Amino acid sequence: MTDALRAAAETMKAVRERCVWSQQITHRDLVPYLIEESHEVIDAVEDGTRADLREELGDLLWQVLFHAAIAAQHPDDPFDIDDVAETLTEKMVRRHPHVFAGAIATTPEEVLVHWNAAKAAEKRERRSVLDGVPAGMPALARAQKVLGRAARVGAGDDVALAAHDAAEIGAAPESEDELGDMLLMLAAAARTNGWDAERALRERLRTLEDEVRDAEAR
């Protein structure tokens, strides 16, 4: 760890030990702050300055350091930021055999083959392609993730067919800008009708997830 990162970790440790507010905080208490700081990084990437990005990355790093400081005080299974960094390094070395182990990857697609193979070997205990998709993701991001997993087992054909039909009648967007317009129109329709767009998509995703599990059981 560099001197600057070590200083940040030591600063966090001091705050955790000596700040009466920080002493009471749990991993669960930090979740809203983690979500907020993550979105602020996204805002800085998409619409901020270099200075904004530098600051927001620091705020996000503080959340990681905070969680590690809390974990270090666990009575039965403590770990600290060095353990987090060691675990991360080991994982990234495994997932980049074309960098560290003599494997060959000359295209981004070949890199993904190595990555997915290493990830599959790490997650052998998973029973479903849906395992590992965070339940707390925003519904739209989760929908894209679940659709990708569903395609692996041949589920979600009705969704794919609907997308194909939309393309046939010229309703499908041809750019991200047009996609944004279409999504905004759908949000407006939800608002007009008094519907909850996030809830509607979450509930439809539950149906798709059931289809995936049925396909896996066949």
Side-chain angles (χ1 to χ4, degrees):
M1 188 180 296
T2 67
D3 290 344
L5 283 175
R6 175 57 63 193
E10 292 299 325
T11 300
M12 179 66 252
K13 181 181 178 182
V15 169
R16 174 67 176 175
E17 292 175 350
R18 293 155 49 190
C19 170
V20 291
W21 181 84
S22 299
Q23 289 169 355
Q24 306 302 315
I25 296 297
T26 66
H27 290 297
R28 187 178 293 273
D29 294 333
L30 278 181
V31 168
Y33 300 99
L34 179 60
I35 293 171
E36 180 180 348
E37 296 299 351
S38 297
H39 282 291
E40 289 184 359
V41 170
I42 293 170
D43 286 344
V45 168
E46 295 181 345
D47 197 35
T49 65
R50 297 284 292 174
D52 292 334
L53 180 57
R54 179 177 177 175
E55 179 179 357
E56 297 304 340
L57 285 172
D59 290 346
L60 186 59
L61 175 60
W62 184 255
Q63 294 300 306
V64 175
L65 294 172
F66 207 153
H67 277 285
I70 295 171
Q73 295 177 332
H74 194 280
D76 303 316
D77 186 21
F79 61 82
D80 62 16
I81 191 63
D82 288 315
D83 298 312
V84 172
E86 181 179 356
T87 300
L88 172 63
T89 299
E90 291 173 353
K91 179 194 291 187
M92 291 302 113
V93 169
R94 280 196 311 273
R95 293 190 183 183
H96 293 83
H98 54 293
V99 176
F100 300 104
I104 303 299
T106 58
T107 67
E109 292 75 18
E110 291 174 349
V111 171
L112 285 177
V113 169
H114 291 307
W115 177 278
N116 289 329
K119 187 172 182 178
E122 296 166 5
K123 309 296 183 181
R124 287 196 181 106
E125 74 280 3
R126 289 184 174 175
R127 297 183 177 182
S128 170
V129 295
L130 297 175
D131 291 347
V133 178
M137 288 179 73
L140 194 56
R142 182 174 169 82
Q144 287 191 275
K145 198 82 168 177
V146 170
L147 284 169
R149 302 292 179 91
R152 297 185 194 175
V153 295
D157 291 341
D158 57 332
V159 179
L161 182 60
H164 179 268
D165 290 344
E168 288 294 314
I169 63 175
E174 297 182 355
S175 68
E176 284 197 358
D177 285 343
E178 292 182 11
L179 175 62
D181 290 339
M182 181 176 290
L183 292 172
L184 188 59
M185 285 188 291
L186 289 172
R191 180 177 179 276
T192 298
N193 287 279
W195 300 331
D196 186 320
E198 278 276 316
R199 182 175 62 227
L201 185 53
R202 284 198 306 271
E203 291 179 352
R204 180 61 184 87
L205 279 174
R206 291 191 189 101
T207 302
L208 177 57
E209 289 166 354
D210 289 341
E211 294 172 13
V212 169
R213 293 190 175 94
D214 288 343
E216 290 176 322
R218 288 198 291 268

